[in-house]
Amino acid sequence: MFHINAKNTHNITLIASIDKDQDVWKIVKEKNKIVFYLPSEINLPELGKKLVQYFRKLNEPINIDVDSFIKHYNPQWQCSMLLTLFSNNEAVFDIPFSQKTKEQKFLINNFMISKSFSNVILKEALTIIEAEKFARKYEWMPANLCTGDRWEKEIISKFREFKNDVKINVLDKSQLIKKKMELILGVGKASPKENWPRLITLEYNNKPSAKRIAFVGKGILFDTGGVSLKTPPAKMQRMHSDMTGAAVVLGTILALVKMKAKVNVVGVLAIARNDVGSEAYVVQDILKSYEGTTVEIVNTDSEGRLVLADGIAYAWKDLKAKTILTIGTLSGGTIYALGQTYTPIWTTNGNDWKIMQKAAQYAGEFVWPMPFNDEYRQELYTSKMADISNTNLNMVASGCVSAEFMKTFIGPTDYIHCDIVGSVEYTNTPIPTLLKTLVYFAKEYK
């Protein structure tokens, strides 16, 4: 929530500058302005973090002199600076979903942009910000309101204006049964009808000659942990946001379509709810994946990888994707490794990592490379009854083991996995982590 105006509309203006003597981040308050001193080499993700810290301290709206920030950065990356400024403002001051009965008042900052600024660049930035807001709405929406049925209807409604560009398909419970997708069906076994599991696909092919990329997002509408119940109860806080991966994929496709990007992508939303009940799947159940591998359930709270596994197999078997990227809030162990700052990325193709790293830098988001290794895979070969276990009970290297589990199902494709379980709370409120990065990854992918 912000305004764009070439003139001052508030009493105080935030201006960027560089202190050549000290070359450090610092904020100095003067009469009617606040000078935000930047280091000579600006790291956009770090700038974003500093902005969030500063915005949280504001008690009145301000002007933000966008031109002063842009002139101290790479002139070819103007959109990157806009996204960093706009996106972090929204993370602090915009509540995308609320049912408070009394009107809420928020600070509405004014971004001062000169009239000579490129409308094309501004439009691109605002398109991505709108897509982020669309994704954040569902991250914030509580589970009793964000049901599978409601989300499906709203997705179809949102993309209706793009019906000539985007092909939407829904595999409902009956179709999942016909295809024998036992993993996603198992996770959602105890859910009421409005939350029955489903796969929603959105195909956008504006470059038929390009290799198809599939973005597969984890869409767990609420995660109780199943019979391996999350304890203590505090661990269930914000589990309505366990569908963030699918929301990020949804927003990414929306941004690419509105930008008319020359890409060949498909979004796969693997949607289910991990409930407790008499019908719930239980420990030591054996389920057969769509790809064909049998899986022994040793922990029902390792459910995200299960729904993604069937989504992965569908992406290459039916949708003919050549590169598959999964994204979701998977393994809490990655928080111990990288905290909430960096998103860990696993890739089977070194060139894909280079593209991802460049896209993240442009988008102003932190990413870090993580390893695939057979030592981690061996942690999964403990079952005496199935081909593979769904996790390792000792929880050693849990993020890497999770990535290795999903790698089992990728078929003849390159694979990328993004675990946003920590970085989704980077600003202490749910955000659509890596949405901007995936947009630019798709645009740069060859």
Side-chain angles (χ1 to χ4, degrees):
M1 186 180 298
F2 55 86
H3 292 153
I4 295 176
N5 198 313
K7 299 179 180 179
N8 289 347
T9 59
H10 301 304
N11 295 326
I12 299 174
T13 300
L14 181 67
I15 298 174
S17 186
I18 289 180
D19 186 335
K20 295 181 180 179
D21 296 328
Q22 296 190 22
D23 198 32
V24 293
W25 302 96
K26 65 177 180 178
I27 297 177
V28 178
K29 189 171 183 179
E30 299 179 5
K31 289 183 179 179
N32 292 325
K33 67 180 180 180
I34 297 170
V35 182
F36 196 142
Y37 285 101
L38 314 173
S40 54
E41 292 191 12
I42 302 171
N43 180 308
L44 280 185
E46 187 67 22
L47 172 59
K49 184 177 181 179
K50 299 293 184 184
L51 285 169
V52 167
Q53 292 170 351
Y54 172 68
F55 287 155
R56 289 198 185 284
K57 297 176 182 178
L58 289 178
N59 52 26
E60 65 175 305
I62 62 171
N63 304 299
I64 299 168
D65 187 341
V66 174
D67 294 340
S68 69
F69 281 86
I70 287 177
K71 78 176 183 179
H72 294 302
Y73 197 59
N74 186 335
Q76 296 180 342
W77 286 30
Q78 292 183 358
C79 191
S80 302
M81 182 60 78
L82 284 184
L83 286 171
T84 297
L85 294 170
F86 292 165
S87 186
N88 288 287
N89 180 88
E90 292 294 87
V92 175
F93 297 115
D94 181 61
I95 304 296
F97 181 84
S98 174
Q99 289 207 318
K100 284 184 177 288
T101 55
K102 294 182 179 180
E103 183 181 358
Q104 294 176 275
K105 294 184 179 180
F106 302 99
L107 299 186
I108 301 177
N109 293 326
N110 174 47
F111 286 88
M112 296 167 52
I113 301 178
S114 63
K115 293 181 179 179
S116 62
F117 192 82
S118 168
N119 284 331
V120 174
I121 294 174
L122 180 58
K123 183 179 179 181
E124 179 176 315
L126 292 176
T127 296
I128 295 174
I129 296 301
E130 180 191 342
E132 282 195 322
K133 186 167 185 172
F134 182 59
R136 287 176 68 231
K137 170 186 173 182
Y138 298 104
E139 288 183 273
W140 281 66
M141 193 180 292
N144 67 315
L145 299 178
C146 186
T147 64
D149 284 352
R150 174 176 178 169
W151 203 14
E152 177 185 323
K153 289 176 183 176
E154 292 191 7
I155 290 169
I156 293 171
S157 175
K158 184 70 173 179
F159 281 85
R160 188 166 288 128
E161 64 178 295
F162 309 111
K163 62 183 179 180
N164 295 327
D165 302 308
V166 180
K167 178 183 176 183
I168 298 180
N169 186 47
V170 180
L171 293 183
D172 61 18
K173 183 178 178 180
S174 64
Q175 292 166 301
L176 297 178
I177 292 171
K178 286 180 182 178
K179 285 189 170 290
K180 300 180 180 179
M181 293 188 178
E182 294 183 12
L183 300 187
I184 188 171
L185 285 165
V187 172
K189 258 181 93 176
S191 298
K193 186 176 180 180
E194 66 268 20
N195 286 312
W196 278 354
R198 68 204 74 196
L199 277 181
I200 301 178
T201 62
L202 302 96
E203 298 180 62
Y204 173 61
N205 187 358
N206 199 22
K207 191 176 181 181
S209 62
K211 291 192 297 183
R212 169 165 281 190
I213 312 169
F215 295 141
V216 185
K218 172 187 171 183
I220 298 297
L221 299 168
F222 191 85
D223 182 17
T224 65
V227 298
S228 304
L229 195 68
K230 291 183 184 292
T231 55
K235 283 194 172 183
M236 283 201 211
Q237 294 297 314
R238 293 186 176 171
M239 281 299 107
H240 64 283
S241 297
D242 210 23
M243 35 61 67
T244 293
V248 168
V249 170
L250 181 63
T252 299
I253 300 296
L254 178 64
L256 290 168
V257 171
K258 297 194 77 169
M259 293 164 67
K260 301 186 184 301
K262 294 294 183 181
V263 296
N264 182 358
V265 298
V266 57
V268 181
L269 315 183
I271 298 173
R273 200 166 115 155
N274 193 18
D275 282 321
V276 181
S278 60
E279 297 294 321
Y281 75 136
V282 298
V283 172
Q284 290 198 313
D285 278 358
I286 295 178
L287 307 175
K288 191 171 184 178
S289 71
Y290 183 49
E291 176 265 350
T293 298
T294 56
V295 180
E296 179 182 350
I297 305 303
V298 299
N299 186 336
T300 63
D301 196 23
S302 295
E303 86 298 329
R305 66 196 68 183
L306 298 175
V307 301
L308 287 174
D310 275 344
I312 289 167
Y314 186 72
W316 66 264
K317 289 179 70 174
D318 295 65
L319 300 174
K320 309 304 178 187
K322 298 303 180 184
T323 295
I324 295 173
L325 181 149
T326 52
I327 182 168
T329 45
L330 270 291
S331 175
T334 61
I335 300 176
Y336 292 102
L338 298 174
Q340 295 180 321
T341 304
Y342 282 84
T343 298
I345 309 289
W346 289 259
T347 59
T348 59
N349 183 315
N351 190 55
D352 288 344
W353 162 248
K354 291 178 182 177
I355 299 172
M356 179 65 73
Q357 186 180 33
K358 181 180 178 181
Q361 184 181 8
Y362 190 86
E365 298 185 287
F366 283 119
V367 294
W368 195 260
M370 297 291 278
F372 283 114
N373 191 289
D374 192 58
E375 292 289 329
Y376 303 131
R377 177 174 288 272
Q378 293 306 313
E379 293 281 335
L380 298 167
Y381 292 129
T382 57
S383 175
K384 295 180 179 179
M385 301 179 290
D387 297 327
I388 194 171
S389 299
N390 76 319
T391 190
N392 54 332
L393 287 175
N394 62 19
M395 300 304 289
V396 170
S398 59
C400 292
V401 172
S402 173
E404 286 286 355
F405 176 86
M406 289 177 290
K407 183 169 168 272
T408 302
F409 306 91
I410 63 170
T413 66
D414 290 331
Y415 180 51
I416 306 162
H417 174 55
C418 313
D419 194 335
I420 57 174
V421 69
S423 51
V424 72
E425 296 280 352
Y426 181 56
T427 62
N428 295 322
T429 58
I431 57 174
T433 306
L434 292 193
L435 189 155
K436 298 184 291 292
T437 296
L438 295 193
V439 168
Y440 289 109
F441 176 85
K443 291 182 70 175
E444 289 296 317
Y445 188 80
K446 308 298 181 186

